[in-house]
Amino acid sequence: MEAAEASQEVAIAPRQAPGATLEPCWLRAVLIAVALLFLTLFLLMPLLAVFAEAFKKGWDAYLSAITEPDALSAIKLTLLSAALAVPLNLVFGVAASWAIAKFEFRGKNVLLTLIDLPFSVSPVISGLIYVLLFGAQGWFGPWLREHDIKILFAVPGIVLATVFVTFPFIARELIPLMQAQGNDEEEAALVLGASGWNTFWRVTLPNIKWGLLYGVILCNARAMGEFGAVSVVSGHIRGETNTIPLQVEILYNEYNFQAAFAVASLLALLALVSLALKSLLEWRLTGAGHEHRSKKHQ
């Protein structure tokens, strides 16, 4: 009887918190202070410095710098390359993640490795790969020249380089999400007579919508801020093939610091907006994950 009561008390007693949460208050305060100091020195101060230098000569000088013809051309090209690269990565990311998470097939691990390739290859190297393929002395260079098709030092080359460095972002956000959700709902829909296309639109897509938006935001931010690969394939033609990062480099090398920081502030503003949207979607993803788990338990 006493043993039964003792076991019941043990079952009812609250579980002890992990030892990591029982560290002394002074140690937690020191760790928090170190983290805040690091963020202040390496994140907040450089960010504030960008905006301070951008508005150093006043609002009129700032507007003049970002509305200058070369700057406007760089802004338009950046938006265009992102507008083309992100939808392409969206299609690839959804298709690749759906195949990897929902099906078993030969070469699955190879596909996962290829998706991670841009994370391990320098963007400059990826740009040089396109030079090797489409340059004047490249594999397809003579054929492109004969047919008057221009890829390098033009918009197509910039879009291709941007697609290469950004295509893992959406797939890598969706693959673990789809794997965690499993196949139960899709299988139920198919058993009830839904077609594969209807199953995707009515079951799979609603379950991954927040993760999909999260990946799109990250992909778009990287596409607009890409420098290395685009620098190699663009040719640095002012007013034609310079994106915002390349325009910042040119202005800075010309010692036009105020204009360089003014244009750079546009990218900084984009980063802040992306961070806000990312935090919002993380919150929605957490709520969606709890909701999905509760449905499965029911």
Side-chain angles (χ1 to χ4, degrees):
M1 188 71 176
E2 292 179 357
E5 292 178 354
S7 62
Q8 186 177 5
E9 290 179 359
V10 171
I12 297 175
R15 184 177 296 178
Q16 292 293 327
T21 62
L22 300 178
E23 298 293 345
C25 292
W26 67 266
L27 180 58
R28 281 179 281 175
V30 168
L31 293 175
I32 292 173
V34 170
L36 291 177
L37 179 62
F38 185 89
L39 288 175
T40 301
L41 290 176
F42 295 100
L43 180 63
L44 295 180
M45 288 184 65
L47 188 62
L48 292 175
V50 169
F51 286 99
E53 288 293 328
F55 290 97
K56 188 175 183 179
K57 295 183 180 179
W59 180 253
D60 292 337
Y62 178 84
L63 286 179
S64 177
I66 63 174
T67 57
E68 190 262 338
D70 288 345
L72 287 177
S73 175
I75 294 170
K76 291 177 182 177
L77 181 57
T78 301
L79 295 175
L80 176 62
S81 61
L84 294 174
V86 172
L88 292 173
N89 285 321
L90 175 64
V91 174
F92 168 80
V94 172
S97 57
W98 196 13
I100 291 172
K102 304 298 182 180
F103 303 100
E104 293 294 333
F105 54 91
R106 289 184 179 181
K108 185 175 180 178
N109 291 331
V110 176
L111 179 58
L112 280 169
T113 302
L114 292 176
I115 290 175
D116 289 335
L117 185 63
F119 288 145
S120 57
V121 174
S122 169
V124 175
I125 300 300
S126 65
L128 290 174
I129 292 173
Y130 285 109
V131 173
L132 176 63
L133 291 175
F134 305 117
Q137 306 301 323
W139 291 1
F140 305 110
W143 184 89
L144 292 173
R145 187 168 57 253
E146 290 176 4
H147 294 79
D148 196 25
I149 300 175
K150 195 171 184 181
I151 293 180
L152 288 184
F153 313 142
V155 174
I158 294 173
V159 173
L160 286 174
T162 304
V163 168
F164 180 85
V165 299
T166 57
F167 79 79
F169 286 92
I170 295 177
R172 268 302 170 188
E173 290 299 326
L174 293 182
I175 289 172
L177 179 60
M178 286 187 174
Q179 288 175 335
Q181 290 175 349
N183 300 329
D184 294 344
E185 296 184 16
E186 284 85 354
E187 291 175 353
L190 292 173
V191 169
L192 292 174
S195 64
W197 190 247
N198 284 332
T199 300
F200 173 77
W201 279 105
R202 297 180 180 274
V203 179
T204 304
L205 189 60
N207 287 336
I208 65 171
K209 60 183 178 181
W210 297 116
L212 184 61
L213 288 173
Y214 186 86
V216 167
I217 289 172
L218 295 180
C219 180
N220 182 71
R222 176 61 190 276
M224 290 190 176
E226 174 55 31
F227 177 83
V230 173
S231 178
V232 174
V233 301
S234 71
H236 293 268
I237 304 173
R238 298 189 69 154
E240 294 184 21
T241 63
N242 277 339
T243 58
I244 293 178
L246 301 183
Q247 181 69 11
V248 171
E249 181 197 29
I250 288 176
L251 292 173
Y252 191 85
N253 289 337
E254 293 177 348
Y255 302 100
N256 191 353
F257 299 128
Q258 191 276 331
F261 281 103
V263 178
S265 69
L266 297 177
L267 287 178
L269 184 61
L270 169 67
L272 294 175
V273 172
S274 299
L275 181 63
L277 292 174
K278 175 177 172 290
S279 300
L280 176 62
L281 287 175
E282 282 178 343
W283 173 73
R284 293 303 300 264
L285 274 171
T286 303
H290 289 311
E291 182 180 353
H292 183 78
R293 283 191 293 270
S294 63
K295 285 182 179 179
K296 291 188 72 173
H297 288 309
Q298 291 175 0

